[in-house]
Amino acid sequence: MVNNPLVFYFEKLKDDYDLKTYGDIAKYLDISIGTVKNAYGGRTINPSKRLVEHIAVHFNKNPNVILKDIYKGSFVEPCNEYTKLVTLSLYYNFEYALFYDNQNFMA
């Protein structure tokens, strides 16, 4: 399976909150089930700015914190949290492209 940050994020939520189905994830995040299905089907890999903002408002968190949570599985450990935040902020605020290396980690 290709490195899909949204699927990793959804899987973490499933584990943490005992969610069983795509519908449970969608309901928990107050998003459409199609968004969840697109991620699991490989049609959506990176979250849109709109989705990140929606989840941030839903959880009453900063969008950069949500991005850090979504992309957490994409970084090689050990990785400085500040580096993660800066990288994701650049993507979020300036839409810089993110690339993956041969091991499916963010380059």
Side-chain angles (χ1 to χ4, degrees):
M1 178 179 187
V2 109
N3 184 359
N4 188 324
L6 277 176
V7 170
F8 289 140
Y9 183 68
F10 293 156
E11 285 295 312
K12 175 100 172 86
L13 290 176
K14 278 177 67 174
D15 292 341
D16 290 350
Y17 299 101
D18 196 33
L19 306 172
K20 303 290 185 203
T21 66
Y22 296 164
D24 292 342
I25 296 167
K27 185 175 180 181
Y28 181 76
L29 294 173
D30 193 28
I31 60 175
S32 75
I33 194 168
T35 301
V36 178
K37 285 183 178 180
N38 284 341
Y40 277 95
R43 290 180 295 281
T44 304
I45 295 174
N46 296 309
S48 68
K49 188 172 184 176
R50 182 176 171 202
L51 177 61
V52 172
E53 287 175 347
H54 173 80
I55 294 172
V57 168
H58 183 73
F59 287 125
N60 196 24
K61 291 185 177 180
N62 185 307
N64 291 336
V65 173
I66 299 299
L67 279 172
K68 188 180 77 139
D69 291 344
I70 290 172
Y71 285 103
K72 189 174 193 169
S74 298
F75 289 95
V76 179
E77 295 296 335
C79 180
N80 184 310
E81 292 294 317
Y82 178 76
T83 303
K84 292 179 187 179
L85 188 60
V86 168
T87 304
L88 296 174
S89 294
L90 286 172
Y91 178 73
Y92 180 74
N93 293 309
F94 303 106
E95 299 179 333
Y96 286 3
L98 300 175
F99 299 95
Y100 296 94
D101 66 13
N102 292 335
Q103 287 79 35
N104 283 325
F105 288 111
M106 193 178 300

